[in-house]
Amino acid sequence: MIEEVYRPASPDEAVAVKEREGAVYLAGGTQVNWAPSGMNPAKAVLLAGLLPNDVTRRENGWEIGAGITLQDLVDAPEAPAVLRRAASMIPARCVRNMATLGGNIAANRTDSYLLPALIALGAEVETVERGVLSVEAYITGGEDALITRVRLPKTRGACVVDRVVRSSAALPTLTLGVRVAEGEAVIALGCVAPKVTRLREVEARVVSGALETETTVFRAVFDSIDPPAGLKESAAYRRYITATMVARAVTACRKQRG
Ligand SMILES: Cc1cc2nc3c(=O)[nH]c(=O)nc-3n(C[C@H](O)[C@H](O)[C@H](O)COP(=O)(O)OP(=O)(O)OC[C@H]3O[C@@H](n4cnc5c(N)ncnc54)[C@H](O)[C@@H]3O)c2cc1C
C-alpha cells in the first residue's frame, strides 16, 4: 500500500526524490495500483501535472508529451493515425483516461499495444537522466529513467498495427507493429516473448526480397518464434495466429505502398 507520496516541482526533483526515497513514479497509476502487477510500493512520486502532455507536429516528425493519457492520444487528430489506433486498443475508456504514454513504455509489458507501434515507427524517448534513447533500447535495456517526451520521426513506407484478443475484457494473445519501406522493414511483436521483440532475421529477408509471398512470410515467422501458452490459448495456437497476422500485415504494408 502506498503510505507516502511526494509531489516534486520539476522532473529533476522527481528523479532526485525517487532515488533518495527509493520510491516509484506514479503517473496514471493503472499499472502501479493494479493488484496483479504485484508492485505494491510504499512510496510514490506523483507525476500528474509534471510532464508535458501536448502533441506537436514538426517538419521532421512529432513530439508527444509523456504525460498524455491514452484517451487524449486517441482524440488527438494531429498525432500519427497508427499510434492513435494502438492507443485505442486498451478497451476500457476508464483505463485510457488515466493511463499515460510514458507509463505504458516504462511498464514495459510484453502485451503492450503501444510498444510494437512505437518501435515500428522508430520512436525515441527523451529522458531526464539518460538523454535520448530509442524506445527499443529503453525497453530492452531495462531502463527506468524518467521519460518526459516521445519523439516520432517522419517514417517512410506503410505501417500497420493490429492485435488478437479473445474478448474486450481479455488480455491480448498478440500485439503487433509492422512497417515496410524501400530497403527497410520492422516487425515488432508483443506477447511472444517476455518483452516486446523484433524479428530481425525475418525483417532482413523481407527487405532482400527473399520472402515475396504471404505464405513465405508466414513460414519464416512460424519458424522463428516459440511463444508461450496463454491463460486460454495454447502455444501452438499463438504461434500459428502470430505468423498469420504478421504475414497479413506485411502484405497490407506492401499493398499500401503500391
Ligand atoms: C484493466 C486493465 C487492463 C490493462 N491492460 C493492459 C494491456 O492490455 N496492455 C498494457 O500494456 N497495459 C495494460 N494495462 C496496464 C496499464 O494500464 C498500462 O500499461 C498503462 O499505459 C500504464 O500507464 P500509467 O500512466 O497508468 O502508468 P503507472 O501505473 O503510473 O506506472 C507504470 C510504471 O511506469 C513507471 N512510470 C510511469 N510514468 C513514467 C515516466 N514518465 N517515466 C518513467 N517511468 C514511468 C512507474 O513507476 C511504473 O513502474 C492494463 C491495466 C488495467 C487496470
Side-chain angles (χ1 to χ4, degrees), residues 9-35:
S10 67
D12 284 334
E13 193 184 332
V15 171
V17 173
K18 176 179 179 275
E19 278 168 22
R20 191 185 68 226
E21 300 296 335
V24 303
Y25 295 127
L26 190 134
T30 59
Q31 177 78 6
V32 172
N33 288 326
W34 191 35

Side-chain angles (χ1 to χ4, degrees), residues 201-202 205 216-226 239 243:
E201 281 181 23
V202 181
R205 293 173 67 199
T216 53
V217 176
F218 171 92
R219 179 45 63 189
V221 175
F222 190 86
D223 289 344
S224 64
I225 58 172
D226 184 16
R239 190 176 182 196

Side-chain angles (χ1 to χ4, degrees), residues 24-34 39 47 51 66 70 90 95 98-100 102-104 106-107 109 111-113 138 144-148 171-172:
V24 303
Y25 295 127
L26 190 134
T30 59
Q31 177 78 6
V32 172
N33 288 326
W34 191 35
M39 291 185 72
L47 298 182
L51 301 177
L70 300 190
I90 286 194
V95 176
M98 294 189 285
T100 63
N104 195 281
R109 287 173 51 146
D111 60 357
S112 168
Y113 295 106
Y138 187 95
D144 67 351
L146 179 59
I147 303 167
T148 53
L171 294 172

Side-chain angles (χ1 to χ4, degrees), residues 57-180:
R57 183 95 202 248
R58 305 233 180 263
E59 212 166 285
N60 56 352
W62 293 261
E63 286 184 11
I64 305 179
I68 194 168
T69 66
L70 300 190
Q71 187 60 47
D72 283 346
L73 187 53
V74 171
D75 292 337
E78 61 278 31
V82 281
L83 191 61
R84 293 173 65 198
R85 178 163 148 68
S88 76
M89 287 176 180
I90 286 194
R93 192 181 181 110
C94 56
V95 176
R96 293 198 304 269
N97 274 335
M98 294 189 285
T100 63
L101 179 58
N104 195 281
I105 297 168
N108 200 355
R109 287 173 51 146
T110 185
D111 60 357
S112 168
Y113 295 106
L114 283 154
L115 287 172
L118 289 165
I119 291 171
L121 292 168
E124 296 175 325
V125 287
E126 287 177 23
T127 70
V128 174
E129 309 94 306
R130 301 264 291 118
V132 178
L133 300 169
S134 70
V135 168
E136 193 180 354
Y138 187 95
I139 66 158
T140 53
E143 297 282 344
D144 67 351
L146 179 59
I147 303 167
T148 53
R149 280 189 185 280
V150 176
R151 295 181 187 176
L152 293 150
K154 233 183 204 168
T155 45
R156 297 179 305 114
C159 185
V160 166
V161 293
D162 214 333
R163 87 293 204 193
V164 175
V165 64
R166 279 180 298 109
S167 76
S168 63
L171 294 172
T173 301
L174 167 71
T175 62
L176 73 78
V178 171
R179 185 167 61 84
V180 180

